[in-house]
Amino acid sequence: MGVQPDTDLTPEEQQLLADIRRRKEELLREIQQLKDEITEVTAEMERLEAQDECKSNTKAKQLSTGKKKFNMDPKKGIEYLIEHGLLKDTPEDVAQFLYKGEGLNKTAIGDYLGERNDFNIKVLDAFVELHDFTDLILVQALRQFLWSFRLPGEAQKIDRMMEKFAQRYCQLNPGVFSNTDTCYVLSFAIIMLNTSLHNPSVKEKPTIDTFITMNRGINNGGDLPRELLEGLYDSIKQEPFKIPEDDGNDLMHTFFNPDREGWLWKQGGRYKSWKRRWFILNDKCLYYFEYTTDKEPRGIIPLENVQVRDVADRNKPNCFELFSVGSDVIKACKTDSEGKVVEGKHTVYRMSAATPEEKDEWMKSISTSNILCHIHTRQSISHNPFYDMLAARKKKAQQK
């Protein structure tokens, strides 16, 4: 029903009232339209926020996945993170990621930094550049450097990484050493001193005089000041090198410079299933772990009276076997599902490497381990490429 005209009003007033009422209806419609638009905008904002949150959650999940992949296979982990836009494909960005190290395994960081290809070498350069050793004594600088990753076992990788360290230290502290080779040799002397003083398996602990004798002539043919060497010795004696607790790997002293380490597939004894294990070869023993971060090995295989041979397997490529030459059963031990240590019952251990080259390197390392004496004897030292490399660098430092 329409609005009845007010008979008390003049026609002009009635027209004005009608205009006011019409304007009121228009305003009410506009207000409702604005309300509808506000509702739509609010809904769109909520939808976009939900999308952003979803993206954020997805990115967080991808980052977590990338870190796990990195800890298992550093190269694939970095590729995954770059592919999903979480890392830029630049040495500087990758180095920053490794330097922060959040959720990353220190062994995996060391493995990646030690790889010998152009990109990884540039990452190593950028990684070392992130460390500030200004006004630090050498031991302090080494503590900082070795806190950020775990040195790999291969001599060539160690050589490359420690050379970068020495260059960076000398760059930031000019005048401390006459050349980078002196810094390099002394850094290794400190690392070896740390292992000798704090590894329980080393019975004869080096004295300060032994340490000084080790470093004679490395300062451009001359000797370093005795007070400097005494300070370094006392620092290491009082406080050994440590690695971060969250890394979970306290094997630094036992396996500081293993003959070889890496992933292998190991075939089970009773059940012939294959399991991926992290192996460390050291002191004529093979230690294997479920993860690189495990504090204790799952098993230990002494290599005394054990030989290695190439074998073919229908299910796995690049296989080799350990077998006993003295008895049927290899004298090994392992941890069972309940955590108890039990004697192994293997007559052979069958392993599978990722590539034919890795298989050959493992077989060669195991064979060499059987020939060499204990790592601390002169015979072992003379055959160890790590010591050969250090001796060559020491000679170079003495001749400069």
Side-chain angles (χ1 to χ4, degrees):
M1 181 181 289
V3 179
Q4 295 296 321
D6 193 330
T7 54
D8 294 335
L9 299 176
T10 65
E12 292 81 5
E13 290 173 334
Q14 287 179 7
Q15 182 62 44
L16 181 61
L17 182 61
D19 290 342
I20 292 172
R21 286 170 173 164
R22 186 176 65 255
R23 182 60 184 151
K24 178 183 176 184
E25 288 175 0
E26 288 174 356
L27 287 171
L28 288 172
R29 282 196 301 270
E30 288 177 7
I31 290 170
Q32 186 59 48
Q33 188 176 352
L34 286 171
K35 284 182 177 179
D36 292 342
E37 288 177 2
I38 290 170
T39 302
E40 286 179 14
V41 169
T42 303
E44 179 66 13
M45 288 175 63
E46 289 175 351
R47 186 179 67 80
L48 290 172
E49 285 175 0
Q51 276 185 349
D52 288 342
E53 188 175 345
C54 183
K55 284 180 183 176
S56 178
N57 289 338
T58 301
K59 289 293 182 187
K61 287 178 183 177
Q62 288 174 343
L63 180 60
S64 177
T65 300
K67 288 179 178 179
K68 288 176 183 175
K69 284 181 179 289
F70 178 87
N71 290 340
M72 292 294 287
D73 187 324
K75 183 182 177 182
K76 288 183 180 176
I78 295 296
E79 287 173 352
Y80 176 91
L81 290 165
I82 291 172
E83 183 184 330
H84 288 81
L86 296 163
L87 273 182
K88 294 176 185 174
D89 192 5
T90 65
E92 292 75 19
D93 208 46
V94 174
Q96 189 72 241
F97 172 71
L98 300 180
Y99 182 71
K100 288 179 181 176
E102 295 171 3
L104 302 183
N105 173 255
K106 296 296 183 289
T107 298
I109 295 174
D111 285 343
Y112 187 83
L113 292 172
E115 286 299 319
R116 189 177 182 177
N117 62 59
D118 290 343
F119 187 80
N120 291 62
I121 289 172
K122 288 176 182 175
V123 172
L124 174 61
D125 287 339
F127 181 83
V128 176
E129 288 288 322
L130 291 170
H131 289 80
D132 185 5
F133 304 133
T134 306
D135 296 330
L136 295 182
I137 64 169
L138 190 59
V139 170
Q140 292 172 329
L142 275 171
R143 290 189 195 282
Q144 183 192 130
F145 190 55
L146 297 177
W147 183 270
S148 59
F149 69 101
R150 181 183 170 202
L151 278 173
E154 291 86 346
Q156 290 80 6
K157 290 184 179 181
I158 295 175
D159 176 64
R160 197 157 49 247
M161 297 163 93
M162 293 305 297
E163 184 173 21
K164 297 293 183 187
F165 165 80
Q167 288 172 355
R168 178 67 171 163
Y169 184 84
C170 291
Q171 174 198 351
L172 296 173
N173 299 280
V176 175
F177 298 108
S178 57
N179 56 69
T180 55
D181 287 313
T182 300
C183 181
Y184 173 102
V185 173
L186 184 57
S187 297
F188 263 120
I190 293 169
I191 291 171
M192 293 162 70
L193 175 68
N194 177 80
T195 304
S196 300
L197 285 176
H198 300 289
N199 188 334
S201 67
V202 180
K203 303 304 178 187
E204 293 184 18
K205 305 298 182 186
T207 63
I208 178 61
D209 290 328
T210 306
F211 183 63
I212 290 171
T213 302
M214 278 176 62
N215 293 289
R216 280 204 177 128
I218 67 169
N219 190 28
N220 206 18
D223 294 342
L224 291 164
R226 183 181 177 95
E227 57 271 20
L228 169 67
L229 297 176
E230 285 178 344
L232 297 173
Y233 181 93
D234 290 340
S235 177
I236 289 297
K237 188 174 182 180
Q238 290 169 15
E239 186 184 354
F241 288 129
K242 294 177 182 176
I243 53 176
E245 291 179 5
D246 62 359
D247 183 54
N249 193 333
D250 60 358
L251 297 168
M252 186 173 186
H253 303 315
T254 308
F255 305 120
F256 187 80
N257 182 38
D259 298 329
R260 185 161 187 82
E261 59 184 336
W263 290 104
L264 289 171
W265 289 89
K266 183 181 79 69
Q267 191 178 51
R270 184 181 302 175
Y271 306 104
K272 299 300 180 183
S273 59
W274 290 89
K275 293 182 178 177
R276 194 167 182 253
R277 295 286 183 255
W278 178 258
F279 278 83
I280 289 180
L281 172 62
N282 200 46
D283 287 351
K284 294 174 67 177
C285 280
L286 262 180
Y287 303 82
Y288 59 90
F289 304 77
E290 190 167 355
Y291 304 104
T292 57
T293 50
D294 284 351
K295 294 185 178 181
E296 300 292 338
R298 288 294 300 272
I300 303 172
I301 308 170
L303 298 177
E304 241 177 283
N305 300 319
V306 171
Q307 291 186 7
V308 61
R309 62 192 173 199
D310 199 340
V311 293
D313 191 287
R314 290 185 304 174
N315 301 313
K316 283 281 182 184
N318 313 315
C319 285
F320 62 92
E321 280 185 346
L322 304 178
F323 64 98
S324 174
V325 294
S327 60
D328 291 335
V329 178
I330 296 175
K331 295 176 181 178
C333 63
K334 64 178 181 179
T335 307
D336 64 14
S337 57
E338 297 177 356
K340 296 178 182 177
V341 177
V342 296
E343 287 188 14
K345 296 180 180 179
H346 284 260
T347 54
V348 296
Y349 280 89
R350 182 167 291 192
M351 320 286 190
S352 169
T355 64
E357 292 76 20
E358 284 190 24
K359 179 195 73 173
D360 292 342
E361 288 170 3
W362 271 106
M363 291 179 66
K364 182 180 177 182
S365 297
I366 291 168
S367 297
T368 304
S369 180
N370 282 324
I371 297 169
L372 297 180
C373 296
H374 192 273
I375 193 168
H376 299 291
T377 68
R378 287 188 177 274
Q379 184 183 355
S380 174
I381 289 172
S382 68
H383 286 80
N384 192 317
F386 163 73
Y387 290 99
D388 291 341
M389 196 170 288
L390 187 56
R393 189 63 69 102
K394 186 172 182 179
K395 187 176 180 182
K396 189 177 173 187
Q398 290 169 337
Q399 290 172 343
K400 283 198 175 181

